Amino acid sequence: MNEYVPGLEGVPATKSNISSIDGDKGILSYRGYPIEMLAERSTFEETALLLLDGNLPTRATLKAFDQDMRANRRVKFRIRELMRQLPSTGHPMDMLQSMMACLGMDYSGSDCLTGGDHCDDLNFVHNTSVTIIAHMATMVAMWEHIRNGYDPIEPRADLTHAENFLWMLTGKEPDRYIARIMDICLILHAEHTINASTFAVLVAGSTLANPYSVIASGIATLSGPLHGGANQAVVNMLQEIGTPDKAAAYIDAQLLAKKKIWGFGHREYNVKDPRAVILEHLMRKFAEYKGNVGPLFEVAQAVEKAATERLGTKGIYPNVDFYSGVLYREMGIAPDQFPSLFAMSRVAGWLAHWKEQLGQNRIFRPTQVYTGEVDKEYVPLERRG
Ligand code: COA
């Protein structure tokens, strides 16, 4: 048991019944339901509840959850004022992480520091989850306006989660077809077993930290380009390549320089990520609907072909971030917002894991393999030269 495994590859960190991956067959399931089925038939609201509670909700339960979500879209004015004070050039993920921690200061009952009293209270866990999921989308959309010097757009209670997000982001009446594509994107990103950010959530949650701080830990961990920041990096890469004919040479140069191809590779999958398959399909549907194929999609297809030819034998294929960035860009969303979109969806999975952790809690306290020196003599400062 004392063997050190870099990156904890293959080391189970918890027992969980929330989601599962078969990395050889390319299967991802939430609570036993394959992701393709949920993408086709579910909504983000229903999927979030499935993740949180473990079962597909009844009509009444879903309706109540949906109503609670709609009622929780507005953030307090103090939070809005704080957002206005943030540097407008800051990355949206830094805004989101900071504001999530601030929410914890402003929402009553969130203080688990007094011995984690609330953490046993399933109503508290549920209500907090609703507030966090609803507020995350609001804050991502609000930031787009605030950072550009405008007032944020008020949320609407007559729209679904995805529709309201697009409304708040763009100020335009949401197109139902595009909102459904956004809804599916949110479903696809909502959960993915014990990855880096979910592990961060488990560790923070295991200390009985307040849930807003727990989710802030997840946001911080997701922000890196090796994790949820990759979708932004993918679009930067595709824009740098410029045209499909330059893809193969670019991939060769990157691999020669021992650099990563963004949006490729996954610790768990040896085949194309099933979410990338669906997102590529959605990208085609979006292009059909719009009546034109965006230039980034064509470059992405050329990159997939070139990279797969060179890396496929190592089991390195497109992951979720490869086509999500392209799709969001074609929707007109700013690239540095892509990781925030990932976060506002993944928060459902994080909260499900937080809840699960609280039900079987033991504080995380792993060990280490010490590689430093021992029994050294303290040399007084004047003798150190
Ligand atoms: N491009 C080129 N080579 C890659 C690669 C990529 N995207 N991903 C993995 N590899 C190669 C590594 O260079 C390494 O090769 P080597 O054995 O010859 O040294 C091997 O595959 C293993 O890579 P490693 O980084 O150790 O795998 P990991 O399981 O620790 O990391 C990722 C998984 C996702 C972090 C990694 O694939 C990556 O950095 N991908 C790009 C970032 C990305 O898209 N992240 C989003 C994940 S959803």
Side-chain angles (χ1 to χ4, degrees), residues 6-7 9 192 224-231 233-234 254-255 258-268 273 275 311 314 316-317 319-322 342:
E9 178 168 4
H192 208 231
L226 293 186
H227 195 6
N231 50 13
V234 167
Q254 290 295 104
L255 295 180
K258 302 242 170 275
K259 290 190 179 159
K260 294 273 177 75
I261 312 300
W262 300 114
F264 271 75
H266 201 284
R267 179 76 61 81
E268 293 293 313
D273 184 327
R275 299 164 300 173
L311 294 169
K314 290 173 84 175
I316 298 170
Y317 291 95
N319 59 47
V320 69
D321 291 310
F322 192 66
F342 194 155

Side-chain angles (χ1 to χ4, degrees), residues 91-292:
H91 195 281
M93 286 294 268
D94 293 331
M95 174 283 296
L96 207 51
Q97 185 198 349
S98 313
M99 296 318 302
M100 187 51 63
C102 288
L103 284 183
M105 300 173 75
D106 209 31
Y107 279 73
S108 61
S110 66
D111 182 11
C112 285
L113 298 176
T114 52
D117 291 346
H118 299 293
C119 292
D120 289 338
D121 177 350
L122 284 179
N123 275 335
F124 167 75
V125 170
H126 180 84
N127 294 338
T128 304
S129 299
V130 170
T131 304
I132 290 178
I133 297 172
H135 276 41
M136 285 258 299
T138 295
M139 293 193 302
V140 173
M142 280 172 72
W143 182 241
E144 193 54 39
H145 301 284
I146 289 176
R147 71 171 170 171
N148 286 308
Y150 297 103
D151 280 327
I153 291 170
E154 288 296 313
R156 278 168 48 187
D158 62 319
L159 300 173
T160 67
H161 189 69
E163 287 167 357
N164 178 63
F165 173 68
L166 289 176
W167 156 251
M168 289 190 71
L169 189 71
T170 64
K172 294 186 192 132
E173 194 61 32
D175 177 303
R176 290 284 146 96
Y177 189 83
I178 292 172
R180 175 58 187 154
I181 289 181
M182 175 60 71
D183 190 36
I184 298 171
C185 289
L186 295 177
I187 294 171
L188 295 178
H189 287 86
E191 162 60 10
H192 208 231
T193 76
I194 304 301
N195 46 70
S197 58
T198 304
F199 186 44
V201 162
L202 288 189
V203 173
S206 81
T207 71
L208 304 185
N210 91 59
Y212 298 88
S213 299
V214 168
I215 297 304
S217 309
I219 297 168
T221 312
L222 185 71
S223 67
L226 293 186
H227 195 6
N231 50 13
Q232 182 182 350
V234 167
V235 166
N236 293 343
M237 175 182 79
L238 298 178
Q239 281 168 342
E240 192 186 329
I241 294 170
T243 50
D245 57 305
K246 299 203 179 110
Y250 178 92
I251 300 297
D252 283 335
Q254 290 295 104
L255 295 180
L256 197 63
K258 302 242 170 275
K259 290 190 179 159
K260 294 273 177 75
I261 312 300
W262 300 114
F264 271 75
H266 201 284
R267 179 76 61 81
E268 293 293 313
Y269 294 112
N270 300 314
V271 295
K272 189 167 173 176
D273 184 327
R275 299 164 300 173
V277 175
I278 301 173
L279 285 162
E280 184 185 358
H281 173 72
L282 285 180
M283 185 60 238
R284 285 185 203 288
K285 295 297 243 182
F286 182 81
E288 261 170 49
Y289 184 68
K290 285 295 215 184
N292 68 317

